[in-house]
Amino acid sequence: MADARFEESILIIRAIVAECLRKLEILSWCEKNAHLYDSTRTYSIAKLLQHRNKGLHSIVIELSENPKHLASESCSSYATTSLGSVIPRDDSASGEDRIYYDRFEYMDRCKKVHSLAKKHDVLKFQCHELNHQLHVASQIEIAKQRFVAFWESARKEQLKQSILLDVQNLRKKQTFIEGERTNALQAAGIIDQYYDWKLASIESEIENWMNRFDREKEEQDARFQKARATEKYWNELSQIHEQQVRDIGLLEVDLERWEEDAKFKVFCHRMATKLQAWWRGVMVRKGFGKFGTAGRNRGIKGKGKDKKAKKTRK
């Protein structure tokens, strides 16, 4: 019975120590423990965790090397029951070890045990929450580090690929530029040859045009001299024509004046004839002059003489 109790105590202690070591290991993952100190700044959280870890490891080593001695010591200071393994023993007034208590003392101790159990549960829950938060923070930090590492490797690979692409593009561009330069040099040589040929042809063409200019200039000079002589002749003819036009104008004016004078003379002669006829009629009607009674006979005689004279003339 005692051996079974010893083994149970050893298993419980080992489980408690293993759980404490696991939690201490989780707490030691935080990188900020080395920079966190107590109020007196005498030790850091990392050193405290290391010291606790060493103490628990020493307990594990002691359990593995001498389990019966540790179990006997634990049994001497704790009760034999499962509840007594948690509650320490008290010495009586007579100096005897007692296990049993009266009712009121038992109730007080039960209340204390329940309150301590509740506090233990609360502390355990808080410790679990803190461990969970620490685990989440550590996982987030690890994920960040992994993400940064992956991102950095991807960035390096991308940068490497971009540099390789740039190198390939620059090589292609260099090859293209070299080809363009070779083509440009060939084109420059061909253009120089063409310019030389074109310059020679233009010089020969200029010489031909100069000869043609001289030849045509002489012809044009001869034509211009002939044209000047013709122009001079035409100017003289135009002057003569203008003079003749002026003379013709003057002659036309004189002709019009002469025609008017002739018309006026004809008009005067006609008027004189009409006036003579009218006067003759008046004289005949009135019997003036030779148309009177004395003049009629004279007129008849005169007519006979006139007829004789005409016959003799014939």
Side-chain angles (χ1 to χ4, degrees), residues 236-249:
E236 291 177 355
L237 289 177
S238 63
Q239 291 177 1
I240 294 170
H241 178 265
E242 290 176 358
Q243 184 65 33
Q244 289 179 356
V245 168
R246 286 195 296 271
D247 294 340
I248 290 169

Side-chain angles (χ1 to χ4, degrees), residues 51-69:
H51 184 267
R52 297 297 184 188
N53 198 357
K54 287 181 180 179
L56 291 174
H57 277 294
S58 64
I59 291 172
V60 172
I61 292 169
E62 186 67 24
L63 283 173
S64 61
E65 290 180 355
N66 194 4
K68 292 183 179 181
H69 176 68

Side-chain angles (χ1 to χ4, degrees), residues 4-154:
R5 191 179 295 115
F6 293 158
E7 291 178 359
E8 183 181 358
S9 300
I10 290 169
L11 291 174
I12 292 170
I13 292 169
R14 283 181 178 177
I16 293 170
V17 171
E19 183 68 19
C20 291
L21 286 173
R22 186 182 67 81
K23 291 182 178 181
L24 288 174
E25 185 178 1
I26 292 171
L27 291 173
S28 64
W29 288 350
C30 184
E31 297 178 355
K32 296 181 180 180
N33 291 332
H35 303 287
L36 297 175
Y37 293 89
D38 64 339
S39 60
T40 60
R41 299 187 67 83
T42 55
Y43 59 89
S44 63
I45 301 299
K47 289 182 179 180
L48 180 62
L49 293 174
Q50 187 178 3
H51 184 267
R52 297 297 184 188
N53 198 357
K54 287 181 180 179
L56 291 174
H57 277 294
S58 64
I59 291 172
V60 172
I61 292 169
E62 186 67 24
L63 283 173
S64 61
E65 290 180 355
N66 194 4
K68 292 183 179 181
H69 176 68
L70 187 61
S72 62
E73 289 180 356
S74 63
C75 289
S76 63
S77 60
Y78 290 91
T80 57
T81 61
S82 61
L83 184 61
S85 64
V86 180
I87 302 172
R89 293 184 178 183
D90 292 334
D91 295 334
S92 62
S94 61
E96 297 178 354
D97 295 335
R98 64 176 184 174
I99 300 173
Y100 303 101
Y101 304 94
D102 57 1
R103 181 172 177 276
F104 296 102
E105 190 175 1
Y106 177 76
M107 293 297 293
D108 291 335
R109 288 188 176 270
C110 285
K111 289 180 181 178
K112 289 180 181 180
V113 168
H114 284 298
S115 64
L116 290 173
K118 289 181 180 180
K119 290 180 181 180
H120 179 265
D121 292 336
V122 171
L123 292 174
K124 188 176 180 181
F125 178 75
Q126 291 178 356
C127 182
H128 178 71
E129 289 293 328
L130 291 174
N131 288 331
H132 179 69
Q133 292 177 3
L134 182 62
H135 179 69
V136 170
S138 62
Q139 290 296 323
I140 291 172
E141 189 67 26
I142 291 169
K144 286 181 180 179
Q145 294 295 330
R146 289 179 180 176
F147 176 75
V148 170
F150 290 151
W151 178 79
E152 189 67 23
S153 62

